[in-house]
Structure formats: C-alpha cells, structure tokens
Amino acid sequence: MSNSFENIIQSEKPVLIDFFATWCGPCKMLAPILKEVKDSLGERITILKIDVDKNQALSSKYQVRGVPTMILFQNGKQLWRQSGVLTKEEIIKNIVEKSN
C-alpha cells in the first residue's frame, strides 16, 4: 500500500487524501461532500480514501490523530491538512488556493 501511496502523492495533479474510519459519524457526512468536490473539479483532482483502521502505519506516519482528516498533496509535498467536516465550497477553495 505505502509504495503505491507514495507514487500517488508524487503526482503533479493535487491529491486529496481522506483519512476516515467506518465507525466515524462525521466521516460518513464527509463522503458525499467529497463526491461533490470530485464532481466539481473532475480531472483536476484525485481523491483517495484511507481507512485508518486498515492502514495504521500510514495514519501514524502522517500523524492522523482524529478522523476525518483531509491532507492535500502535490508533487509529494503536503500543502494543506484539516480535521473535521468542511463544506464543499471550503474544501474546493483550499484545494484551488493551495495547489496553484
């Protein structure tokens, strides 16, 4: 998992990682919002969901303490991170601002 993860975040296209847990209520609220973000931005963004319970090493490496936590990467660099649920507009605004 981690090798492919490292390859994915090296992309020139922004990659938004959603660290989530199946038992997490706010994570369930965030899922449809991220779908709308993807629908709005289309091919300009990659969105990847990472289950923290199944990927504990990765969660630990990126110091994910609470879920949901979103981290935006581009060219292997972390550009932005946020815990909790944001609106579609807030997420898109951060992606566009940070990745240009």
Side-chain angles (χ1 to χ4, degrees):
M1 171 69 192
S2 64
N3 278 349
S4 57
F5 181 83
E6 297 301 326
N7 290 342
I8 290 166
I9 65 171
Q10 292 298 327
S11 167
E12 284 183 28
K13 182 163 73 169
V15 180
L16 183 66
I17 308 297
D18 169 27
F19 286 93
F20 78 101
T22 51
W23 45 262
C24 157
C27 299
K28 291 182 175 75
M29 290 165 47
L30 187 60
I33 296 171
L34 289 178
K35 185 180 181 324
E36 291 176 22
V37 169
K38 178 63 178 166
D39 290 345
S40 295
L41 294 177
E43 290 307 306
R44 298 188 341 221
I45 182 92
T46 300
I47 298 178
L48 188 64
K49 295 175 73 64
I50 302 281
D51 185 330
V52 293
D53 293 323
K54 293 184 179 144
N55 298 281
Q56 290 175 340
L58 207 52
S59 304
S60 162
K61 178 178 179 182
Y62 290 101
Q63 296 164 357
V64 175
R65 302 274 179 260
V67 285
T69 294
M70 293 174 281
I71 306 181
L72 182 67
F73 292 95
Q74 191 172 22
N75 299 315
K77 293 186 183 68
Q78 182 177 311
L79 303 179
W80 172 72
R81 74 182 283 156
Q82 176 75 46
S83 295
V85 178
L86 296 179
T87 65
K88 176 183 100 174
E89 292 73 23
E90 289 170 319
I91 296 170
I92 289 174
K93 179 173 173 282
N94 278 294
I95 291 169
V96 170
E97 280 177 6
K98 309 289 193 261
S99 63
N100 284 336

